[in-house]
Amino acid sequence: MKESPLTNKGWALKTLAGLIPGAALSLGVMVLLGHVCGSTGNPMTLSAQWLMWLAALVWVVCLNVCLLFRTGLGAWLCFGWLACLVWLINTLMSGFNAAGGS
Amino acid sequence: MKLRADIAKLYREIHSWVGVVAGLFLFIAFYAGAISMFEPALEIWLTPHVTLPPAVSLDRTPELMEKVFAAHPESRKAYTIVVSPDPDHPARMVWPLTASHHGHGSQSVVMAALDTQGSVITTQHRPSSVAQVIDVLHQQMGLPLPHEIAMIVMGFIVLGYAVALVSGTLVFLPALARAIFAVRLEGSVRRKWLDLHNLLGFCSLPFHIVMALTSVVFAFHDVIFTVQAEFLSHEQGEVHGGRRDERAMGSHQQTMHSASENRVLAPAEIVTILRREAPGFTPDTLEYSHRAGAPLMLRIAGHDPAHVMRGPNSGFTAMDPYTGRLLWRDYLPGYQSAGFGALTSFFALHFGSYGGAPIRWAYLVLGFAGAFLFYTGNRLWIAVRRRKEKATGIETETRGTLFLSRLTTGCCLGCMTGIAALLGGALLAPLTLGGSQAQFLYHGVFWAMLLVALAAPWGTKLALWLATCVHGALAVVVLYKGGQSDVTNWSVAAIALVLTLWLFSLTRQADMSHSATAR
């Protein structure tokens, strides 16, 4: 079966998906990588500054990709699910860090 | 490279709509940003010179400092030693006139010198705020909002810019390879604007990628760092409060100086140590700050023409003023780690703070070309809409097309004329044009031009004539008030003259097209 062509129908919902769950996802990826590389989040450190640039870049990528979804709901579900997953891992990792540190 | 037809169509639509929404803000950002490349030079040019006795030598600076501290104890809290005073920065020692100063740009200072009898002479130096106002226009894209809110709004516009950039590149890249330098100025209006827009966009693509990503970071870095502090900081409170570099300096120094029994090094000794520790780095200012209960801190700003710099005009380092040990080299040009060096290059690519004057001139051209890119984008959009409307049998323009056409003219001319009025005003009345008055003058001219352009069919033509006259008047004022051997003076006069001639040619074109449609 041939797929119907992509259109900009529902662009507002798609854009909002890039903006809101897209932001949560990019910040989540940043925090996840921060946990992995042991960043302290101090803005003067190299790791924190690179992570900040990374978050901006991921967000820009999300905003460009969100318009390629067939529906706005699809974009929300995909970014939302990924963001939830990343933040769940972050919560677990900070829990482990706290347990390891105490 | 072949893009799927439906994706190409989708991105083309996105590029058009996002471009048209963000284009006018971006015009202001690029036009004002191009001029801000010469912010320090403009500030010096627009500020009346102060007269002071010749600056004491670096070796005699401790004597000056002692006398100033005795006569003006408030200067101890924060003071700056200028390493190489010149006619534009005549004083060896300065300190802020008021404690509160935030953001970029110079602040009002008290300058101190010693007369022939060895007594302290002070004078107040209030730099012209016009160059700084133009910089703020650039940062806030001309949005008349409080700075923090404007920066967030700017961030969202820049996100749109990034989307327009990616979509534009994806859609037009395959065709560009075939027809990049084919600028068809004859023939249809739409094709002329399309070719110009493609050529400009393609040639300045790397510049725009850098601008888009750095601007997203400038808008949202505080929010992103707050998230990092919240979720990554293991030491609570570590990253809250105070200026970042001061925190870095303080954290190094507090461990070393529980008691400040040591002697503070003299500026000449500091310069000698710097020459030994960081050859190639030329210190410009030694900035001391002394908070109650904390040791004296020293931040050194300087430049190295061979390396990229973190700030728009300088790189930085911190030194222990008691031992002369360099505490922090992360922002010191030529002595950064590879990671910090790469980050610094992003900033330098935005600020054009590498390669000296030729790069600044190149950025001026790229900035103007960027502004013109957004103008051509809007013109193209209007031409396409007109063509579509004609194809559907509509004889006159729809209200939307007409509104956008007039808005584009009014907004671009308003920004250009507002800035010209600011520069002219600063030359004619340097002492009366403070920060808020300068803001008021710019926005007054901008909104007046916008209203004129939107008001009636003849509004566009009137706005063009007004812009031509103001730019012509600016050229005359610069030549009349200047006439010195100042490079800035002649550069501004030349640019104002070129813009006057260009605007004049546009008014002629508008006249001709108006008479053609009338026939």
Side-chain angles (χ1 to χ4, degrees):
Chain A
M1 196 181 85
K2 198 168 181 274
E3 282 185 81
S4 59
L6 282 174
T7 62
N8 275 318
K9 226 176 118 196
W11 61 271
L13 211 54
K14 290 182 199 172
T15 309
L16 282 176
L19 279 175
I20 300 164
L25 176 63
S26 51
L27 291 171
V29 170
M30 172 187 80
V31 172
L32 178 64
L33 283 175
H35 280 307
V36 170
C37 70
S39 174
T40 60
N42 179 345
M44 289 309 297
T45 58
L46 184 65
S47 58
Q49 293 192 16
W50 272 105
L51 288 169
M52 186 265 290
W53 282 87
L54 175 91
L57 184 68
V58 174
W59 199 17
V60 168
V61 171
C62 286
L63 270 168
N64 276 291
V65 171
C66 68
L67 297 150
L68 291 176
F69 284 89
R70 291 211 168 266
T71 60
L73 188 66
W76 271 85
L77 285 176
C78 178
F79 284 133
W81 187 82
L82 280 173
C84 286
L85 185 70
V86 169
W87 278 104
L88 182 70
I89 300 171
N90 284 338
T91 313
L92 290 174
M93 283 188 89
S94 60
F96 279 127
N97 281 348
S102 61
Chain B
M1 196 176 112
K2 190 91 180 93
L3 204 63
R4 245 174 62 187
D6 57 339
I7 295 178
K9 182 170 177 285
L10 179 127
Y11 271 139
R12 191 177 295 118
E13 283 175 13
I14 291 164
H15 181 77
S16 304
W17 281 103
V18 176
V20 97
V21 169
L24 294 177
F25 293 105
L26 291 166
F27 179 93
I28 298 171
F30 274 70
Y31 190 82
I35 293 168
S36 295
M37 288 312 300
F38 292 95
E39 186 183 350
L42 283 175
E43 187 178 284
I44 290 166
W45 177 59
L46 294 172
T47 305
H49 279 228
V50 291
T51 44
L52 266 181
V56 295
S57 67
L58 206 57
D59 292 325
R60 274 189 70 201
T61 304
E63 181 192 337
L64 169 70
M65 289 160 67
E66 281 311 312
K67 287 180 176 172
V68 168
F69 291 152
H72 303 275
E74 75 280 4
S75 63
R76 278 179 182 276
K77 281 186 206 157
Y79 57 96
T80 297
I81 301 298
V82 180
V83 177
S84 308
D86 57 30
D88 298 326
H89 310 90
R92 177 68 74 186
M93 183 176 178
V94 301
W95 65 94
L97 193 58
T98 51
S100 59
H101 177 73
H102 300 288
H104 291 282
S106 304
Q107 64 184 132
S108 295
V109 291
V110 183
M111 294 178 153
L114 293 180
D115 64 8
T116 44
Q117 279 82 44
S119 317
V120 174
I121 303 275
T122 61
T123 184
Q124 290 186 3
H125 176 69
R126 295 172 189 273
S128 166
S129 53
V130 163
Q132 200 184 334
V133 166
I134 296 174
D135 189 11
V136 172
L137 283 176
H138 159 65
Q139 292 170 28
Q140 300 187 185
M141 297 181 157
L143 291 163
L145 295 170
H147 188 67
E148 284 75 19
I149 299 170
M151 289 305 277
I152 294 292
V153 178
M154 180 278 279
F156 284 107
I157 296 169
V158 170
L159 284 172
Y161 169 40
V163 171
L165 201 60
V166 172
S167 55
T169 311
L170 283 176
V171 170
F172 295 114
L173 210 52
L176 274 174
R178 284 199 308 276
I180 169 67
F181 292 113
V183 179
R184 295 157 290 190
L185 292 175
E186 301 295 320
S188 95
V189 178
R190 183 194 65 88
R191 214 167 54 190
K192 178 181 90 173
W193 289 122
L194 177 67
D195 289 346
L196 273 175
H197 186 74
N198 284 351
L199 178 67
L200 273 174
F202 182 77
C203 290
S204 46
L205 184 62
F207 177 75
H208 285 283
I209 293 171
V210 165
M211 290 303 154
L213 194 59
T214 47
S215 305
V216 172
V217 163
F218 290 156
F220 296 111
H221 69 277
D222 275 341
V223 179
I224 300 174
F225 277 135
T226 307
V227 173
Q228 286 197 22
E230 194 62 42
F231 292 97
L232 290 175
S233 174
H234 307 304
E235 297 163 60
Q236 289 302 312
E238 178 193 18
V239 291
H240 298 288
R243 219 172 67 185
R244 282 191 205 115
D245 50 354
E246 281 181 1
R247 287 202 300 270
M249 287 150 60
S251 63
H252 283 290
Q253 259 170 292
Q254 261 158 4
T255 51
M256 291 189 307
H257 289 282
S258 50
S260 55
E261 69 283 348
N262 297 342
R263 184 182 71 88
V264 175
L265 291 170
E269 293 172 294
I270 287 169
V271 172
T272 310
I273 292 169
L274 270 175
R275 208 173 287 144
R276 191 183 65 227
E277 292 286 316
F281 176 72
T282 310
D284 294 325
T285 52
L286 313 179
E287 298 160 16
Y288 295 88
S289 56
H290 206 170
R291 284 196 185 155
L296 184 69
M297 294 207 282
L298 170 59
R299 178 183 189 255
I300 301 163
H303 63 275
D304 184 345
H307 291 95
V308 291
M309 294 183 292
R310 179 71 173 217
N313 305 297
S314 341
F316 308 97
T317 185
M319 185 187 270
D320 184 331
Y322 301 93
T323 63
R325 198 167 74 86
L326 281 183
L327 299 172
W328 176 63
R329 295 171 191 242
D330 293 344
Y331 294 172
L332 180 61
Y335 296 89
Q336 297 175 291
S337 65
F340 269 113
L343 282 176
T344 297
S345 66
F346 294 157
F347 287 93
L349 281 168
H350 185 104
F351 295 133
S353 56
Y354 58 99
I359 290 293
R360 286 192 183 265
W361 278 102
Y363 266 59
L364 180 87
V365 173
L366 281 166
F368 282 152
F372 192 58
L373 173 76
F374 304 121
Y375 177 75
T376 59
N378 275 30
R379 282 279 153 228
L380 176 62
W381 196 88
I382 293 159
V384 170
R385 265 183 73 117
R386 277 183 184 150
R387 198 175 65 144
K388 278 185 188 160
E389 283 162 9
K390 269 193 181 156
T392 53
I394 304 169
E395 281 300 310
T396 50
E397 285 176 311
T398 58
R399 206 176 290 166
T401 313
L402 201 62
F403 177 74
L404 186 77
S405 174
R406 290 179 186 172
L407 185 72
T408 302
T409 308
C411 194
C412 297
L413 290 178
C415 168
M416 291 170 71
T417 313
I419 288 176
L422 271 183
L423 292 172
L427 278 176
L428 289 172
L431 297 175
T432 50
L433 205 65
S436 50
Q437 289 93 331
Q439 293 262 14
F440 189 73
L441 175 64
Y442 169 82
H443 285 291
V445 173
F446 175 83
W447 290 105
M449 292 289 283
L450 195 57
L451 283 178
V452 165
L454 287 173
W458 42 263
T460 310
K461 233 167 65 181
L462 178 62
L464 268 168
W465 274 110
L466 284 173
T468 311
C469 291
V470 171
H471 281 83
L474 172 66
V476 171
V477 167
V478 171
L479 290 171
Y480 171 71
K481 290 292 282 187
Q484 313 103 335
S485 54
D486 193 329
V487 181
T488 315
N489 199 61
W490 291 108
S491 307
V492 176
I495 292 172
L497 269 176
V498 169
L499 288 176
T500 308
L501 292 174
W502 181 63
L503 288 165
F504 182 69
S505 76
L506 288 182
T507 56
R508 304 294 304 155
Q509 278 176 22
D511 276 344
M512 281 192 295
S513 66
H514 189 254
S515 53
T517 45
R519 274 200 295 273

